[in-house]
Amino acid sequence: MEKKNIDWANLGFGYIQTDYRYVSNYKNGAWDDGVLTEDANVVINECAGVLQYAQTVFEGLKAYTTSDGRIVTFRPDLNAERLEQSASRLEMPVFPKDRFVEAVKKVVKANEAYVPPFGSGATLYIRPYIFGSNPVIGVKPADEYQFRILTTPVGPYFKGGAKPLTIRVSDFDRAAPHGTGHIKAGLNYAMSLHAIVDAHKQGYDENMYLDAATRTKVEETGGANFLFVTKDGKVVTPKSSSILPSITRRSLIYVAKEYLGLEAEEREIYLDELKDFAECGLCGTAAVISPVGKIVDHGKEICFPSGMNEMGPVTKKLYETLTGIQMGTIKAPEGWIVEI
Ligand code: PLP
Ligand code: COI
């Protein structure tokens, strides 16, 4: 397969149109068979549910070229399950898990020429999503939906690559208790746009959101979960019912325990204890593991001992093990790697 002429090593995290996308429509209570199409445009009614009441949920996963030239994805079954949970919470029909995984395989295979080569530092980002497509004017769920998967080759989510980030504690909340923070709904991201634009204006890379009820506990950023390392080498991540259950974070906890022999724990993490941690990172499909060097809480700087130049040693081991598993240089746990 001849690859497209793309400068893989210098890709940012942006949209590049690829040749095929997968589309299935839901009507009269059932999903149709689904097709691959070359048409990148969606034509919907002006009153479609997604346009009026933001009835849309999505997922994000990646395809990787392994060291021996295979193309694989990482735990797509978990993305399928999370999409089911997201769709159910917004009263949308569920796209069946086995069909989801098959559709991911199909669309990646069709866009094989855009899957970045091993060692290029880039990957093929896969974005499945569902949206309400028929006209809705009273506040109620749509009756018709479209499930789509687009793909786009991407480089690092944060511009500096592995350079540690500076994060500010946000005065805006991302998710309410008993709200929608635990699902991947477009509305959670729409409400974070003002906060991220403002953070960038003030010179910060991202926002740290706190729990909306008490504003004392760490939740997550706009697009990734947090991970901390204690001074005695234990990995800890925030536990909250209003953050997205990151597949990367869940995988890293397993990797920390089973591959690196570290203690790892999911628990409530208070803003007050950040100063005691040795390392901090953001984890997610797009972020992979991006190191955090500094958190600024209303002028008060919390600087991690790992500094502003490189990843902390434990974060680095986690990063290398996870990416090794994804790229096929380290043996994966059963079922984590799905070959295209
Ligand atoms: N938190 C938020 C808000 C996200 O958008 C993402 C990205 O998907 C994550 C966390 C990380 O989740 P995952 O590791 O499943 O990609
Ligand atoms: C992902 O990591 O897949 C996400 O959806 C995060 C998004 C902010 C790009």
Side-chain angles (χ1 to χ4, degrees):
M1 158 65 54
E2 195 171 331
K3 294 286 175 186
K4 298 283 172 179
N5 184 19
I6 292 174
D7 183 7
W8 308 108
N10 290 308
L11 278 179
F13 196 88
Y15 172 73
I16 293 175
Q17 191 173 310
T18 56
D19 293 341
Y20 296 97
R21 60 280 307 128
Y22 179 88
V23 182
S24 173
N25 288 301
Y26 181 91
K27 201 174 172 169
N28 300 326
W31 291 104
D32 68 16
D33 288 344
V35 288
L36 288 174
T37 166
E38 290 182 79
D39 189 354
N41 294 310
V42 177
V43 178
I44 45 176
N45 184 273
E46 61 188 353
C47 205
V50 61
L51 299 179
Q52 302 309 322
Y53 303 122
Q55 200 186 13
T56 179
V57 294
F58 70 100
E59 270 307 319
L61 66 162
K62 283 173 169 173
Y64 309 82
T65 304
T66 61
S67 52
D68 58 357
R70 291 170 300 129
I71 295 177
V72 301
T73 57
F74 183 70
R75 313 188 76 178
D77 51 319
L78 298 190
N79 294 96
E81 284 170 14
R82 196 170 58 189
L83 189 67
E84 285 185 3
Q85 287 146 15
S86 299
S88 302
R89 176 65 176 77
L90 293 198
E91 289 296 332
M92 304 167 79
V94 159
F95 195 78
K97 181 163 143 180
D98 53 338
R99 286 198 57 193
F100 176 100
V101 175
E102 277 316 302
V104 165
K105 287 185 184 171
K106 245 189 185 164
V107 74
V108 172
K109 179 88 191 127
N111 291 301
E112 197 179 341
Y114 291 92
V115 183
F118 174 76
S120 64
T123 51
L124 187 75
Y125 186 67
I126 305 164
R127 170 56 62 87
Y129 52 113
I130 310 177
F131 55 89
S133 54
N134 70 302
V136 167
I137 195 73
V139 177
K140 66 176 180 107
D143 302 308
E144 295 174 14
Y145 293 85
Q146 185 164 106
F147 170 76
R148 239 177 138 88
I149 310 180
L150 68 81
T151 59
T152 181
V154 295
Y157 189 66
F158 293 103
K159 274 196 206 81
K163 211 175 140 28
L165 306 168
T166 301
I167 309 253
R168 72 158 181 197
V169 175
S170 175
D171 285 328
F172 299 101
D173 292 325
R174 176 180 183 276
H178 317 293
T180 55
H182 61 300
I183 59 159
K184 213 161 163 59
L187 59 94
N188 294 333
Y189 298 79
M191 64 173 289
S192 76
L193 296 177
H194 175 63
I196 191 68
V197 168
D198 188 58
H200 288 164
K201 258 191 219 155
Q202 314 284 335
Y204 301 106
D205 296 298
E206 251 291 5
N207 289 294
M208 167 183 274
Y209 294 103
L210 302 179
D211 73 297
T214 71
R215 304 194 59 79
T216 57
K217 288 177 273 185
V218 175
E219 293 255 297
E220 60 177 328
T221 67
N225 280 180
F226 277 103
L227 178 149
F228 300 95
V229 181
T230 63
K231 288 200 170 124
D232 55 2
K234 184 167 165 182
V235 176
V236 286
T237 66
K239 186 182 174 84
S240 161
S241 55
S242 48
I243 65 175
L244 194 76
S246 160
I247 294 161
T248 314
R249 187 240 309 158
R250 286 181 267 161
S251 304
L252 285 170
I253 289 178
Y254 184 88
V255 163
K257 287 182 181 163
E258 305 299 326
Y259 282 67
L260 303 177
L262 300 171
E263 266 186 75
E265 187 187 16
E266 211 185 326
R267 64 160 168 87
E268 291 187 329
I269 294 178
Y270 287 85
L271 188 55
D272 280 353
E273 44 175 332
L274 295 187
K275 60 180 185 338
D276 302 324
F277 291 129
E279 299 175 38
C280 172
L282 302 184
C283 62
T285 299
V288 193
I289 307 180
S290 302
V292 174
K294 194 197 288 185
I295 295 173
V296 183
D297 178 13
H298 302 89
K300 194 174 81 200
E301 295 196 344
I302 300 156
C303 299
F304 295 102
S306 50
M308 294 305 293
N309 289 316
E310 52 189 14
M311 273 194 193
V314 175
T315 309
K316 190 158 186 231
K317 268 196 227 159
L318 287 168
Y319 176 88
E320 283 171 354
T321 312
L322 178 72
T323 53
I325 289 171
Q326 291 167 335
M327 307 283 178
T329 55
I330 296 176
K331 190 171 161 32
E334 187 69 33
W336 279 25
I337 297 298
V338 172
E339 199 163 331
I340 303 298

